Amino acid sequence: MDQEANQIYEKLKNKLGKIVPDVELVIKSQIAVEINELKKQRNAVILGHNYMEPVLFYSVPDFTGDSLDLSRKAAQTDKDVIVFCGVRFMAETAKILNPSRTVLLPSNKAGCSLAASITAEDVRMLRNKFPGVPVVTYVNTYADVKAESDICCTSSNAIAVVESLHADTVIFLPDEYLAKNVANETGKHIIFPTVSGTVASAGTDNLLDVQMIGWHGRCEVHEKFTVQDIETVRAQFPDVAILAHPECSPEVVAASNFSGSTNALIRYVQQSNAPQYLLLTECSMGDNIAAANPEKDMLRLCMVRCPHMNTITMEDTRDALKLNRYVIDIPEEIRVRAFQAVDRMIKIG
Ligand code: 13P
Ligand code: SF4
């Protein structure tokens, strides 16, 4: 190993020596050297979402964080190339905010079940059905859906965004559970219009009472956690702090000690003193938190990995820079409209 690879290896060994075998650390340290060299050559910045696997997370990103954080970093960077170690909707958000940069997503399979749950046509249909009602769209959507929206939100600012509208009724898309959790937090009543063919109807609900209109999108990772999981863990560890991402069901969120964005969950562990912690979110993040907080007892409920985040590897990150792939392109007419919705969110904070 040359000197740079050795330095990276020592850093990774120190952080991850208890969870990642040595042979992997050696190989990945060498790949990290290649990535760093390509990063310099191409004047690139690497953004890494909190769900990246531990070796990638702790080696090559210039910035790590939740989706709101990384959107801000993407908007601010003056580098020529942004490599987004996350999923497609995140890379698209970077392109929407900073169109003159080349944005690369290391895997072309990094989708998201929430983003796949709704189309731009669905949003137009809802607007026709509920004229004048503002549309809030979770950032876990594609650019053409954002373009049909008034404002975006992430899990860290969804409540603030809804409240900022001062509207009697809000359409909140596409995550059913996040919408229900926001409705619970803001004291709003929510309905889910039935969709038949291209017509959405409000069913038997009285629209005069309705304050949030949702959609049946779900995160395929967070929908798997159940109240039964929580009860089972609490039976064994009565004082465990259970932390749930707001893409979990409202029942799971209610049975947990805390709910928040990936950054908020990380902060909770750093700033509190529970005898054990259990994270109800993508399980690589549990490894990343455990590595940063060796004194904390992180329980594992690691049967759930995001198959999309999981497609991003160190090898693909290197090849993204080497082969200039996969380039994110958004038609300018869509990007400009999507920008309005994302920028409005960023201004709220
Ligand atoms: P955060 O915005 O909390 O980082 O979450 C993104 C995501 O995809 C969660 O599944
Ligand atoms: Fe999408 Fe869920 Fe994966 Fe997040 S964890 S990227 S919401 S599928």
Side-chain angles (χ1 to χ4, degrees):
M1 248 196 289
D2 69 17
Q3 202 191 343
E4 193 187 342
N6 201 43
Q7 274 171 1
I8 296 171
Y9 165 79
E10 288 299 338
K11 191 180 127 200
L12 289 174
K13 175 92 182 150
N14 193 24
K15 206 107 213 172
L16 304 172
K18 291 207 176 90
I19 54 172
V20 183
D22 219 43
V23 59
E24 184 178 337
L25 295 181
V26 171
I27 294 167
K28 296 293 166 81
S29 302
Q30 275 153 349
I31 299 174
V33 173
E34 288 180 68
I35 294 174
N36 287 343
E37 181 51 34
L38 288 158
K39 196 159 75 170
K40 258 187 255 148
Q41 282 170 18
R42 299 216 47 197
N43 191 29
V45 63
I46 299 183
L47 306 180
H49 187 262
N50 290 327
Y51 288 166
M52 289 297 101
E53 56 92 6
V55 178
L56 192 157
F57 185 82
Y58 282 112
S59 57
V60 290
D62 299 283
F63 301 101
T64 55
D66 66 9
S67 23
L68 181 60
D69 239 10
L70 296 179
S71 301
R72 290 207 181 98
K73 293 288 186 282
Q76 288 157 4
T77 191
D78 58 1
K79 298 285 185 187
D80 296 330
V81 177
I82 300 170
V83 180
F84 214 118
C85 292
V87 289
R88 183 173 187 93
F89 74 78
M90 295 178 177
E92 281 194 357
T93 306
K95 186 70 182 177
I96 289 165
L97 288 166
N98 210 337
S100 62
R101 314 296 163 197
T102 297
V103 178
L104 302 176
L105 180 66
S107 161
N108 63 358
K109 297 193 184 78
C112 169
S113 65
L114 280 171
S117 73
I118 192 158
T119 65
E121 182 51 35
D122 292 329
V123 186
R124 287 193 289 270
M125 178 187 68
L126 287 166
R127 276 202 188 276
N128 280 341
K129 185 72 197 167
F130 305 105
V133 178
V135 176
V136 178
T137 300
Y138 194 29
V139 284
N140 297 36
T141 47
Y142 293 121
D144 56 343
V145 167
K146 290 185 172 79
E148 299 296 332
S149 314
D150 294 292
I151 186 164
C152 287
C153 72
T154 73
S155 58
S156 70
N157 61 16
I159 295 166
V161 165
V162 167
E163 287 179 339
S164 77
L165 295 171
H166 303 291
D168 291 340
T169 307
V170 171
I171 297 173
F172 189 102
L173 309 169
D175 187 347
E176 172 186 338
Y177 288 160
L178 180 65
K180 284 180 175 167
N181 287 322
V182 170
N184 286 345
E185 289 282 333
T186 55
K188 290 189 188 301
H189 170 62
I190 184 165
I191 62 151
F192 292 86
T194 49
V195 181
S196 55
T198 55
V199 182
S201 89
T204 54
D205 280 272
N206 178 357
L207 257 190
L208 291 176
D209 292 340
V210 169
Q211 292 166 308
M212 268 174 82
I213 295 158
W215 189 255
H216 284 299
R218 298 237 186 121
C219 164
E220 68 192 269
V221 173
H222 292 94
E223 73 172 348
K224 294 208 173 75
F225 296 111
T226 64
V227 173
Q228 179 67 56
D229 292 334
I230 294 179
E231 285 165 0
T232 307
V233 174
R234 282 225 174 97
Q236 195 182 351
F237 301 99
D239 296 319
V240 60
I242 299 188
L243 320 181
H245 194 276
E247 289 168 11
C248 293
S249 75
E251 295 75 22
V252 165
V253 167
S256 303
N257 298 79
F258 179 75
S259 174
S261 75
T262 54
N263 267 12
L265 302 183
I266 293 170
R267 272 197 305 274
Y268 187 100
V269 175
Q270 283 166 346
Q271 293 168 5
S272 61
N273 248 325
Q276 303 90 18
Y277 297 87
L278 178 75
L279 288 173
L280 301 182
T281 192
E282 212 280 343
C283 69
S284 280
M285 200 173 99
D287 290 337
N288 294 338
I289 297 184
N293 302 273
E295 74 292 358
K296 309 260 164 139
D297 190 359
M298 304 295 300
L299 301 179
R300 296 283 195 277
L301 193 61
C302 263
M303 73 291 187
V304 192
R305 286 226 54 196
C306 172
H308 311 286
M309 292 280 183
N310 212 4
T311 62
I312 306 291
T313 63
M314 297 276 289
E315 289 81 351
D316 286 340
T317 303
R318 174 197 57 203
D319 292 349
L321 282 162
K322 207 191 255 180
L323 307 171
N324 200 42
R325 72 179 193 197
Y326 295 91
V327 177
I328 301 292
D329 273 324
I330 301 170
E332 186 60 7
E333 175 271 327
I334 289 177
R335 190 200 67 79
V336 168
R337 288 188 294 127
F339 176 83
Q340 309 286 339
V342 179
D343 188 52
R344 238 178 125 185
M345 166 190 85
I346 297 236
K347 288 196 170 115
I348 284 177

mmCIF file of all heavy atoms in Angstrom, residues 42 81-85 91 102-107 319-328:
data_model
loop_
_atom_site.group_PDB
_atom_site.id
_atom_site.type_symbol
_atom_site.label_atom_id
_atom_site.label_comp_id
_atom_site.label_asym_id
_atom_site.label_seq_id
_atom_site.Cartn_x
_atom_site.Cartn_y
_atom_site.Cartn_z
ATOM 1 N N ARG A 42 -10.855 16.234 -11.955
ATOM 2 C CA ARG A 42 -12.115 16.701 -12.541
ATOM 3 C C ARG A 42 -12.710 17.885 -11.781
ATOM 4 O O ARG A 42 -13.798 18.345 -12.087
ATOM 5 C CB ARG A 42 -13.118 15.545 -12.594
ATOM 6 C CG ARG A 42 -12.576 14.416 -13.470
ATOM 7 C CD ARG A 42 -13.646 13.747 -14.248
ATOM 8 N NE ARG A 42 -14.545 14.648 -14.924
ATOM 9 C CZ ARG A 42 -15.728 14.315 -15.395
ATOM 10 N NH1 ARG A 42 -16.149 13.088 -15.275
ATOM 11 N NH2 ARG A 42 -16.501 15.197 -15.989
ATOM 12 N N VAL A 81 -17.942 19.446 -11.096
ATOM 13 C CA VAL A 81 -18.689 18.183 -11.115
ATOM 14 C C VAL A 81 -19.204 17.876 -9.710
ATOM 15 O O VAL A 81 -18.471 18.038 -8.722
ATOM 16 C CB VAL A 81 -17.757 17.030 -11.581
ATOM 17 C CG1 VAL A 81 -18.479 15.685 -11.544
ATOM 18 C CG2 VAL A 81 -17.217 17.302 -12.980
ATOM 19 N N ILE A 82 -20.464 17.461 -9.634
ATOM 20 C CA ILE A 82 -21.030 16.997 -8.359
ATOM 21 C C ILE A 82 -21.284 15.502 -8.512
ATOM 22 O O ILE A 82 -22.068 15.092 -9.378
ATOM 23 C CB ILE A 82 -22.368 17.700 -8.035
ATOM 24 C CG1 ILE A 82 -22.193 19.226 -7.939
ATOM 25 C CG2 ILE A 82 -22.979 17.139 -6.749
ATOM 26 C CD1 ILE A 82 -23.508 20.006 -7.859
ATOM 27 N N VAL A 83 -20.627 14.680 -7.691
ATOM 28 C CA VAL A 83 -20.932 13.244 -7.692
ATOM 29 C C VAL A 83 -21.861 13.014 -6.512
ATOM 30 O O VAL A 83 -21.505 13.295 -5.358
ATOM 31 C CB VAL A 83 -19.663 12.383 -7.521
ATOM 32 C CG1 VAL A 83 -20.027 10.898 -7.531
ATOM 33 C CG2 VAL A 83 -18.665 12.684 -8.623
ATOM 34 N N PHE A 84 -23.072 12.515 -6.798
ATOM 35 C CA PHE A 84 -24.047 12.346 -5.729
ATOM 36 C C PHE A 84 -24.117 10.886 -5.324
ATOM 37 O O PHE A 84 -24.659 10.058 -6.046
ATOM 38 C CB PHE A 84 -25.431 12.865 -6.158
ATOM 39 C CG PHE A 84 -26.164 13.454 -4.991
ATOM 40 C CD1 PHE A 84 -26.533 14.781 -4.969
ATOM 41 C CD2 PHE A 84 -26.444 12.669 -3.872
ATOM 42 C CE1 PHE A 84 -27.177 15.336 -3.864
ATOM 43 C CE2 PHE A 84 -27.079 13.213 -2.767
ATOM 44 C CZ PHE A 84 -27.445 14.548 -2.771
ATOM 45 N N CYS A 85 -23.554 10.567 -4.166
ATOM 46 C CA CYS A 85 -23.672 9.211 -3.620
ATOM 47 C C CYS A 85 -24.968 9.164 -2.815
ATOM 48 O O CYS A 85 -24.999 9.435 -1.599
ATOM 49 C CB CYS A 85 -22.455 8.861 -2.774
ATOM 50 S SG CYS A 85 -20.962 8.714 -3.750
ATOM 51 N N ALA A 91 -29.826 13.416 -6.786
ATOM 52 C CA ALA A 91 -28.938 13.942 -7.831
ATOM 53 C C ALA A 91 -29.706 14.935 -8.710
ATOM 54 O O ALA A 91 -29.174 15.973 -9.115
ATOM 55 C CB ALA A 91 -28.391 12.790 -8.657
ATOM 56 N N THR A 102 -21.840 19.600 -13.911
ATOM 57 C CA THR A 102 -22.137 18.231 -14.338
ATOM 58 C C THR A 102 -22.487 17.446 -13.074
ATOM 59 O O THR A 102 -21.696 17.426 -12.116
ATOM 60 C CB THR A 102 -20.894 17.600 -15.000
ATOM 61 O OG1 THR A 102 -20.588 18.357 -16.164
ATOM 62 C CG2 THR A 102 -21.132 16.144 -15.374
ATOM 63 N N VAL A 103 -23.677 16.836 -13.052
ATOM 64 C CA VAL A 103 -24.067 16.034 -11.877
ATOM 65 C C VAL A 103 -24.030 14.562 -12.276
ATOM 66 O O VAL A 103 -24.640 14.160 -13.275
ATOM 67 C CB VAL A 103 -25.465 16.424 -11.352
ATOM 68 C CG1 VAL A 103 -25.866 15.541 -10.173
ATOM 69 C CG2 VAL A 103 -25.498 17.894 -10.941
ATOM 70 N N LEU A 104 -23.303 13.769 -11.485
ATOM 71 C CA LEU A 104 -23.163 12.332 -11.774
ATOM 72 C C LEU A 104 -23.766 11.504 -10.643
ATOM 73 O O LEU A 104 -23.544 11.803 -9.462
ATOM 74 C CB LEU A 104 -21.679 11.971 -11.911
ATOM 75 C CG LEU A 104 -20.884 12.719 -12.990
ATOM 76 C CD1 LEU A 104 -19.400 12.321 -12.935
ATOM 77 C CD2 LEU A 104 -21.460 12.451 -14.384
ATOM 78 N N LEU A 105 -24.518 10.473 -11.034
ATOM 79 C CA LEU A 105 -25.057 9.496 -10.082
ATOM 80 C C LEU A 105 -24.336 8.175 -10.368
ATOM 81 O O LEU A 105 -24.433 7.659 -11.479
ATOM 82 C CB LEU A 105 -26.570 9.369 -10.302
ATOM 83 C CG LEU A 105 -27.328 8.387 -9.407
ATOM 84 C CD1 LEU A 105 -27.309 8.845 -7.948
ATOM 85 C CD2 LEU A 105 -28.791 8.269 -9.868
ATOM 86 N N PRO A 106 -23.589 7.623 -9.410
ATOM 87 C CA PRO A 106 -22.742 6.461 -9.720
ATOM 88 C C PRO A 106 -23.483 5.205 -10.183
ATOM 89 O O PRO A 106 -22.876 4.338 -10.783
ATOM 90 C CB PRO A 106 -22.006 6.205 -8.396
ATOM 91 C CG PRO A 106 -22.016 7.524 -7.703
ATOM 92 C CD PRO A 106 -23.305 8.182 -8.077
ATOM 93 N N SER A 107 -24.773 5.076 -9.890
ATOM 94 C CA SER A 107 -25.517 3.897 -10.351
ATOM 95 C C SER A 107 -26.761 4.363 -11.097
ATOM 96 O O SER A 107 -27.421 5.312 -10.662
ATOM 97 C CB SER A 107 -25.940 3.050 -9.148
ATOM 98 O OG SER A 107 -26.984 2.179 -9.515
ATOM 99 N N ASP A 319 -15.803 4.837 -11.000
ATOM 100 C CA ASP A 319 -16.106 4.746 -12.435
ATOM 101 C C ASP A 319 -16.971 5.919 -12.906
ATOM 102 O O ASP A 319 -16.890 6.323 -14.074
ATOM 103 C CB ASP A 319 -16.787 3.409 -12.755
ATOM 104 C CG ASP A 319 -15.815 2.248 -12.556
ATOM 105 O OD1 ASP A 319 -14.598 2.514 -12.387
ATOM 106 O OD2 ASP A 319 -16.261 1.090 -12.531
ATOM 107 N N ALA A 320 -17.780 6.456 -12.005
ATOM 108 C CA ALA A 320 -18.583 7.628 -12.365
ATOM 109 C C ALA A 320 -17.651 8.768 -12.790
ATOM 110 O O ALA A 320 -17.868 9.421 -13.822
ATOM 111 C CB ALA A 320 -19.445 8.061 -11.183
ATOM 112 N N LEU A 321 -16.583 8.972 -12.010
ATOM 113 C CA LEU A 321 -15.641 10.054 -12.327
ATOM 114 C C LEU A 321 -14.783 9.712 -13.540
ATOM 115 O O LEU A 321 -14.496 10.563 -14.380
ATOM 116 C CB LEU A 321 -14.742 10.314 -11.116
ATOM 117 C CG LEU A 321 -15.396 11.136 -10.000
ATOM 118 C CD1 LEU A 321 -14.652 10.984 -8.685
ATOM 119 C CD2 LEU A 321 -15.479 12.610 -10.407
ATOM 120 N N LYS A 322 -14.398 8.448 -13.639
ATOM 121 C CA LYS A 322 -13.525 8.025 -14.738
ATOM 122 C C LYS A 322 -14.265 8.060 -16.075
ATOM 123 O O LYS A 322 -13.753 8.533 -17.077
ATOM 124 C CB LYS A 322 -13.071 6.586 -14.438
ATOM 125 C CG LYS A 322 -11.734 6.215 -15.039
ATOM 126 C CD LYS A 322 -11.522 4.723 -14.922
ATOM 127 C CE LYS A 322 -10.517 4.422 -13.834
ATOM 128 N NZ LYS A 322 -10.257 2.985 -13.672
ATOM 129 N N LEU A 323 -15.505 7.562 -16.075
ATOM 130 C CA LEU A 323 -16.246 7.383 -17.332
ATOM 131 C C LEU A 323 -17.339 8.432 -17.539
ATOM 132 O O LEU A 323 -18.142 8.329 -18.459
ATOM 133 C CB LEU A 323 -16.881 5.980 -17.365
ATOM 134 C CG LEU A 323 -15.921 4.810 -17.116
ATOM 135 C CD1 LEU A 323 -16.685 3.505 -16.952
ATOM 136 C CD2 LEU A 323 -14.915 4.694 -18.265
ATOM 137 N N ASN A 324 -17.377 9.400 -16.635
ATOM 138 C CA ASN A 324 -18.383 10.466 -16.696
ATOM 139 C C ASN A 324 -19.798 9.892 -16.776
ATOM 140 O O ASN A 324 -20.571 10.174 -17.688
ATOM 141 C CB ASN A 324 -18.139 11.390 -17.890
ATOM 142 C CG ASN A 324 -18.827 12.728 -17.708
ATOM 143 O OD1 ASN A 324 -18.797 13.297 -16.609
ATOM 144 N ND2 ASN A 324 -19.482 13.220 -18.752
ATOM 145 N N ARG A 325 -20.167 9.083 -15.787
ATOM 146 C CA ARG A 325 -21.493 8.476 -15.797
ATOM 147 C C ARG A 325 -22.087 8.453 -14.393
ATOM 148 O O ARG A 325 -21.301 8.466 -13.421
ATOM 149 C CB ARG A 325 -21.432 7.082 -16.395
ATOM 150 C CG ARG A 325 -20.762 6.073 -15.465
ATOM 151 C CD ARG A 325 -20.743 4.719 -16.090
ATOM 152 N NE ARG A 325 -20.392 3.733 -15.082
ATOM 153 C CZ ARG A 325 -19.971 2.515 -15.363
ATOM 154 N NH1 ARG A 325 -19.846 2.129 -16.601
ATOM 155 N NH2 ARG A 325 -19.686 1.675 -14.401
ATOM 156 N N TYR A 326 -23.320 8.417 -14.216
ATOM 157 C CA TYR A 326 -24.410 8.593 -15.152
ATOM 158 C C TYR A 326 -24.842 10.053 -15.048
ATOM 159 O O TYR A 326 -25.226 10.492 -13.954
ATOM 160 C CB TYR A 326 -25.548 7.642 -14.790
ATOM 161 C CG TYR A 326 -25.101 6.176 -14.968
ATOM 162 C CD1 TYR A 326 -24.540 5.475 -13.907
ATOM 163 C CD2 TYR A 326 -25.209 5.557 -16.208
ATOM 164 C CE1 TYR A 326 -24.108 4.158 -14.085
ATOM 165 C CE2 TYR A 326 -24.788 4.232 -16.387
ATOM 166 C CZ TYR A 326 -24.228 3.543 -15.321
ATOM 167 O OH TYR A 326 -23.784 2.272 -15.490
ATOM 168 N N VAL A 327 -24.776 10.740 -16.185
ATOM 169 C CA VAL A 327 -25.003 12.185 -16.184
ATOM 170 C C VAL A 327 -26.490 12.469 -15.987
ATOM 171 O O VAL A 327 -27.339 11.865 -16.650
ATOM 172 C CB VAL A 327 -24.527 12.796 -17.519
ATOM 173 C CG1 VAL A 327 -24.815 14.291 -17.564
ATOM 174 C CG2 VAL A 327 -23.047 12.527 -17.734
ATOM 175 N N ILE A 328 -26.787 13.390 -15.060
ATOM 176 C CA ILE A 328 -28.187 13.773 -14.823
ATOM 177 C C ILE A 328 -28.533 14.952 -15.727
ATOM 178 O O ILE A 328 -27.895 16.004 -15.661
ATOM 179 C CB ILE A 328 -28.397 14.182 -13.332
ATOM 180 C CG1 ILE A 328 -28.043 13.036 -12.384
ATOM 181 C CG2 ILE A 328 -29.810 14.705 -13.102
ATOM 182 C CD1 ILE A 328 -28.971 11.843 -12.426
#
